[in-house]
Amino acid sequence: MDFPILSTIILLPIAGAIVVMFLPSRRPELVLPVAIAGSLVTLGAVGWLLVEFEAGEAGFQFVEQVSWYADWGVGWHVGVDGISLLLVALTALLFPISLAASTGITHRVREYAASMLFLEAGILGVFLCLDLLVFFIFWEAMLVPMYFIIGIWGGERRVHAAIKFFLYTALGSALMLSGIIFLGLTGGEGGPTFDFVELLGADLSRTTQFWLFAAFGLSFAIKVPVFPFHTWLPDAHVEAPTAGSVILAGVLLKLGAYGLLRFNLTLFPEAAVELVPVLAVLAVIGIVYGAIVAIVQTDIKRLVAYSSVSHLGFVVLGIFALTSHGLQGSVLQMVNHGLTTGALFLLVGMIYERRHTREISQFGGLATVMPRYAAAFLFVAFASIGLPGLNGFVGEFFILIGAYLSLPVYTIVGASGVVLAAVYLLWAYQRMFTGPIVVEENRALRDIGFREVAILAPLLALILFLGIYPKPALDRIEPSVNRVLERIEQSTEYEVPQP
């Protein structure tokens, strides 16, 4: 039997959380180092997975399958393909970085670190599970630690933000569970099954596909979030601690887009094709609306939060373009957004630790006293805008090319989001970093040190690498997204537009 690497990757953070919980209470200084070490072990295992993954293969690799409740068709079934591989890698990368950036947490550190590790396990389980019922368990399991991270270690309005986050997600989860149960009980040929691969062969009527698409899609749309289900996001981002914001923007938002691509497109292809105009309109509204609202924000963290609504709109547009370039761009942009927005939230957290304010008007001229910080912020801002040579350009370019083939009008309107992104980010940079120092407290600010540079360095390096040489990532993504499109073509009369 091959070594169960995927199960190991899911279990390692859980083991780390258990070790953290049993650390002696008289040694609180050990908690974060042990938690970071645990997440680094997981990162090492994922690194091995990246090396061993065969690029060019469309199907699931490293598959593990064990039947649990055969009568009900429930089992442990995990696998990874080109769609989930990079998202697993992104998850494994962001957690040790986020934990390393959590030195400002001094209250109930043990519970905090354990919550972060349980959250990591839940997210990895969502990306790797191929049994819908177990997928749902992981989907719900990650909700609990995220709720506590916002509600206990967040800002002044943390309880309000945590409850709002919980209620929105729970509503979507209830609908998805209903869809999973119905599909599992009726979709199998020889009886109930919740196995995703078996359910790909389910013979579903057009009406059934629409209802199930709605049940799954609403849950995923809330998580993305797609306009108009985005209202929980700014509050959660602003009130979460820095590490919570990094994970929320870097990985959690990707779960919704991943679900739309993995489940809605493949399980309900007829409904997906017919609902393209609806999803494209919502995606474009999200792009433009998120960007315009970001422009008028006075809080830099809230500005970055609304920028996520805009950027994730591009991801949704690429998914429902139903073209190879669109889907490749969407998967790559999920990773890119995780890197750039994660870095932006880290940078916002670093300045907040120094000044205890995020109001843009309280800064100005920071490049004079914090040149390294200013350079890092500008670098990440350029990547987020989509400057050629940095990662954001590649993802958005693929999405716009792919979307233009099938949705030219939507694409032209959506492309305005690129211009608006330059407006809100560069304007914020100009107000915070250029000109003379007008607030006296800013004169004594110290620049980022070695520890903070080390935390940012992996993200900055990947932003540059994926901008210059995205081929290794695209080689792994392309076969899997093409397989999704082949299934849509085989199940419907849709023909994928070719360039």
Side-chain angles (χ1 to χ4, degrees):
M1 178 180 177
D2 294 334
F3 182 72
I5 182 65
L6 300 187
S7 299
T8 303
I9 287 172
I10 296 172
L11 291 173
L12 279 173
I14 297 175
I18 294 171
V19 171
V20 164
M21 290 301 293
F22 280 94
L23 286 173
S25 57
R26 65 181 183 280
R27 300 294 303 275
E29 73 277 8
L30 292 178
V31 172
L32 279 181
V34 170
I36 293 169
S39 61
L40 284 175
V41 173
T42 307
L43 179 60
V46 173
W48 183 88
L49 187 71
L50 281 170
V51 172
E52 294 296 318
F53 186 89
E54 289 191 25
E57 293 290 329
F60 291 104
Q61 301 180 35
F62 305 98
V63 174
E64 303 164 28
Q65 191 165 15
V66 179
S67 178
W68 274 354
Y69 302 104
D71 291 344
W72 291 97
V74 180
W76 177 256
H77 189 185
V78 292
V80 64
D81 67 354
I83 295 172
S84 52
L85 178 70
L86 296 182
L87 295 171
V88 169
L90 176 68
T91 305
L93 173 68
L94 287 182
F95 269 90
I97 290 175
S98 300
L99 285 164
S102 299
T103 51
I105 301 292
T106 55
H107 172 59
R108 301 175 71 174
V109 182
R110 190 207 315 260
E111 290 86 346
Y112 171 81
S115 297
M116 288 286 286
L117 291 170
F118 278 125
L119 179 62
E120 181 178 13
I123 294 171
L124 291 169
V126 167
F127 283 137
L128 294 173
C129 266
L130 298 176
D131 184 285
L132 289 182
L133 206 55
V134 181
F135 166 86
F136 180 79
I137 292 171
F138 278 114
W139 182 272
E140 287 297 285
M142 68 185 180
L143 176 62
V144 177
M146 194 69 223
Y147 169 80
F148 285 123
I149 288 170
I150 298 173
I152 296 177
W153 294 280
E156 291 181 1
R157 299 180 68 246
R158 57 186 180 276
V159 175
H160 168 79
I163 291 175
K164 197 171 180 180
F165 164 78
F166 188 90
L167 290 178
Y168 267 77
T169 308
L171 172 64
S173 298
L175 291 170
M176 182 166 64
L177 179 60
S178 303
I180 288 174
I181 292 173
F182 179 86
L183 182 61
L185 295 181
T186 61
E189 291 185 357
T193 180
F194 293 92
D195 189 285
F196 168 70
V197 177
E198 285 189 40
L199 288 170
L200 289 175
D203 183 17
L204 303 174
S205 69
R206 177 178 176 276
T207 303
T208 303
Q209 284 199 34
F210 271 91
W211 280 110
L212 289 174
F213 186 99
F216 280 72
L218 184 58
S219 179
F220 297 140
I222 290 172
K223 190 71 87 180
V224 172
V226 174
F227 178 91
F229 308 110
H230 65 283
T231 57
W232 64 270
L233 178 69
D235 289 336
H237 268 314
V238 170
E239 298 303 327
T242 296
S245 297
V246 172
I247 297 304
L248 195 58
V251 197
L252 247 70
L253 304 187
K254 313 306 180 303
L255 298 172
Y258 170 79
L260 289 171
L261 202 168
R262 171 73 78 209
F263 300 113
N264 281 65
L265 292 194
T266 55
L267 290 173
F268 323 117
E270 193 172 347
V273 169
E274 294 198 32
L275 289 172
V276 160
V278 177
L279 272 302
V281 166
L282 295 178
V284 171
I285 292 175
I287 292 170
V288 177
Y289 168 82
I292 290 175
V293 177
I295 290 174
V296 300
Q297 295 306 307
T298 58
D299 181 323
I300 185 63
K301 197 173 187 183
R302 192 170 280 272
L303 182 152
V304 179
Y306 274 106
S307 78
S308 292
V309 176
S310 182
H311 283 118
L312 270 296
F314 278 107
V315 171
V316 175
L317 180 65
I319 291 173
F320 287 94
L322 300 184
T323 63
S324 180
H325 282 79
L327 289 180
Q328 287 181 66
S330 290
V331 176
L332 186 59
Q333 193 63 2
M334 289 187 224
V335 178
N336 291 337
H337 180 262
L339 297 173
T340 55
T341 308
L344 280 174
F345 276 122
L346 286 171
L347 288 162
V348 171
M350 290 171 187
I351 195 67
Y352 182 77
E353 285 179 2
R354 288 163 169 76
R355 285 283 280 107
H356 301 289
T357 179
R358 295 185 299 263
E359 285 296 316
I360 295 173
S361 61
Q362 290 297 308
F363 302 106
L366 289 184
T368 305
V369 293
M370 302 179 69
R372 290 192 294 272
Y373 179 81
F377 197 102
L378 186 62
F379 181 82
V380 178
F382 277 150
S384 186
I385 291 168
L387 190 75
L390 300 177
N391 64 340
F393 172 78
V394 182
E396 288 185 353
F397 179 76
F398 267 70
I399 288 173
L400 292 175
I401 289 290
Y404 189 81
L405 293 174
S406 59
L407 303 165
V409 176
Y410 298 98
T411 307
I412 292 170
V413 178
S416 64
V418 178
V419 180
L420 294 171
V423 173
Y424 62 71
L425 275 172
L426 294 183
W427 190 34
Y429 184 86
Q430 180 260 322
R431 287 178 287 169
M432 291 180 65
F433 293 94
T434 63
I437 295 177
V438 293
V439 179
E440 286 303 313
E441 291 95 315
N442 295 333
R443 291 189 187 280
L445 289 177
R446 59 180 171 79
D447 205 351
I448 52 175
F450 175 78
R451 184 186 68 84
E452 291 161 319
V453 171
I455 289 171
L456 290 169
L459 300 179
L460 304 187
L462 283 171
I463 286 171
L464 185 61
F465 176 76
L466 288 174
I468 295 174
Y469 190 57
K471 187 175 183 302
L474 293 171
D475 284 349
R476 284 155 179 78
I477 296 169
E478 184 178 8
S480 295
V481 299
N482 285 343
R483 191 175 68 156
V484 172
L485 293 173
E486 287 171 7
R487 170 168 170 74
I488 292 174
E489 285 189 319
Q490 292 166 2
S491 306
T492 68
E493 296 179 352
Y494 179 76
E495 293 184 9
V496 176
Q498 300 298 324

